[in-house]
Amino acid sequence: MAAMECRVLSIQSHVVRGYVGNKSATFPLQVLGFEVDSINSVQFSNHTGYAHWKGQVLKADELNVLYEGIKLNKVNHYDYILTGYSRDTSFLMTVVEIVKELKKANPNLVYVCDPVMGDHGAMYVPEELLPVYRDKVVPMADILTPNQFEAELLTGRKIHTTEDALKAMELLHKMGPKTVVLTSTELPSNQGGQYLLALGSQKIEKPDGTMSIQKICMDIPKVDAVFVGTGDLFAALLLAWTHHHPSDLKAACEKTVSVMHHVIKRTINYANEKAGPGQRPSPAQLELRMVQSKGDIENPAIVVEAKFLQTS
């Protein structure tokens, strides 16, 4: 673990019950030795996949007030910023201003952005968020974790093949981020239909000032269930493991995806047992088994290996 204290500002959703947004990100980051300051973009009773949910949404001016309080006390120094789901343009623009200011205060600050906009061809945030992400947010991000659909939205290019995916990641690099991980794609895996293909690309500056690019792919075993909060967990783990392996995307991704695998396996086993034979588990039974996975988060057994695609 790093000897220096490392502090993360995480601006994400919050649920009273279960694991999504900040609830998904904070515990693993703390377990891995990070101090986490959380701003909750929404506060809901539970995630919206349940039959009922209630709660409040933080507005842009309320976000400003919270940040102002941190600033007045001169404790607005961060090593990382992590952002996830946002559904309001003015809120997202306020996030942009906060990131700008914090990067000015600490030029080494790393911004990890999960550009949550949609999946499987459908947007689940208002469409006016896309230009804000594309033109304002992505250029400031150091690490970007879109899924295939979000990468297509941001680049304006469809992804049908691995080549297309590599091209999209190159375009995303040109927009700003040094590290891009396509967390899930609909591309065929060499291992067959039971696997998802994820891809990563990292630009590394060599001592002589030239750039090299590390490109990897991973075959991730599919699980037949709908989990919520896994994307938030992925982004938090990637933040932590790239911190510990700053120029080794392969190692960082292997640890991230292996932790995900252990958490999901533990969750599905628990959910199936709770639901009983032949029954589909409920959203409540499928809440991530986070606390129970503490050992795996700290020291994951590597079950998914990343392969190098090409380096330049």
Side-chain angles (χ1 to χ4, degrees):
M1 292 294 150
M4 288 286 290
E5 179 177 289
C6 218
R7 193 169 283 272
V8 181
L9 177 62
S10 181
I11 305 175
Q12 298 193 62
S13 54
H14 170 81
V15 286
V16 177
R17 170 65 184 255
Y19 291 95
V20 67
N22 272 330
K23 281 285 288 285
S24 232
T26 305
F27 177 73
L29 282 169
Q30 289 172 329
V31 164
L32 288 166
F34 294 81
E35 289 286 354
V36 185
D37 294 356
S38 307
I39 294 180
N40 300 324
S41 56
V42 304
Q43 175 165 263
F44 288 166
S45 52
N46 44 269
H47 72 69
T48 55
Y50 284 74
H52 309 281
W53 50 275
K54 301 274 183 192
Q56 302 83 34
V57 177
L58 196 74
K59 296 192 170 63
D61 54 349
E62 295 166 328
L63 169 60
N64 256 325
V65 166
L66 290 173
Y67 177 64
E68 197 61 33
I70 293 167
K71 211 160 69 169
L72 286 168
N73 289 307
K74 297 186 171 55
V75 288
N76 58 330
H77 185 92
Y78 291 97
D79 304 285
Y80 287 89
I81 296 183
L82 175 61
T83 64
Y85 181 77
S86 174
R87 55 169 304 111
D88 176 72
T89 320
S90 63
F91 188 89
L92 196 54
M93 285 303 296
T94 305
V95 170
V96 168
E97 291 311 311
I98 290 172
V99 175
K100 267 188 199 158
E101 197 167 301
L102 292 176
K103 280 199 162 202
K104 208 170 163 184
N106 174 19
N108 296 320
L109 179 140
V110 174
Y111 174 27
V112 181
C113 171
D114 185 7
V116 184
M117 288 184 283
D119 207 353
H120 304 300
M123 284 185 81
Y124 41 61
V125 300
E127 282 181 23
E128 55 266 27
L129 261 71
L130 172 57
V132 182
Y133 270 115
R134 187 188 58 224
D135 305 335
K136 307 274 189 205
V137 179
V138 174
M140 287 196 307
D142 300 284
I143 298 174
L144 192 71
T145 60
N147 58 33
Q148 177 178 330
F149 177 59
E150 289 156 351
E152 289 176 337
L153 285 175
L154 290 168
T155 59
R157 291 174 69 106
K158 284 278 176 213
I159 295 171
H160 301 292
T161 64
T162 304
E163 278 306 306
D164 292 342
L166 292 172
K167 189 81 196 127
M169 290 195 293
E170 260 172 53
L171 289 170
L172 290 168
H173 280 314
K174 282 184 181 145
M175 290 162 78
K178 292 227 168 31
T179 301
V180 177
V181 177
L182 298 189
T183 54
S184 65
T185 69
E186 290 164 42
L187 299 171
S189 158
N190 292 335
Q191 308 262 356
Q194 290 310 296
Y195 289 82
L196 278 173
L197 189 67
L199 297 145
S201 178
Q202 185 177 44
K203 286 171 82 171
I204 300 157
E205 195 170 337
K206 294 179 184 170
D208 65 1
T210 59
M211 298 300 266
S212 74
I213 297 190
Q214 193 183 98
K215 294 173 184 172
I216 55 143
C217 71
M218 291 170 290
D219 297 291
I220 304 171
K222 275 186 190 171
V223 179
D224 180 27
V226 176
F227 300 97
V228 178
T230 46
D232 310 319
L233 175 60
F234 189 103
L237 290 168
L238 189 66
L239 183 161
W241 291 118
T242 49
H243 175 77
H244 294 302
H245 303 282
S247 52
D248 189 349
L249 186 63
K250 183 179 186 289
C253 283
E254 284 175 348
K255 287 185 177 177
T256 297
V257 171
S258 294
V259 172
M260 299 287 296
H261 176 82
H262 296 305
V263 173
I264 286 170
K265 201 171 170 195
R266 184 172 284 107
T267 302
I268 194 74
N269 289 346
Y270 169 85
N272 285 336
E273 197 182 309
K274 277 290 194 196
Q279 299 296 310
R280 278 194 88 75
S282 68
Q285 290 162 340
L286 283 166
E287 290 285 9
L288 297 176
R289 303 293 284 165
M290 198 76 81
V291 174
Q292 298 78 4
S293 303
K294 179 177 176 283
D296 290 317
I297 293 167
E298 281 181 294
N299 192 14
I302 302 299
V303 288
V304 177
E305 292 209 9
K307 293 187 285 291
F308 286 116
L309 282 168
Q310 66 196 73
T311 48
S312 55

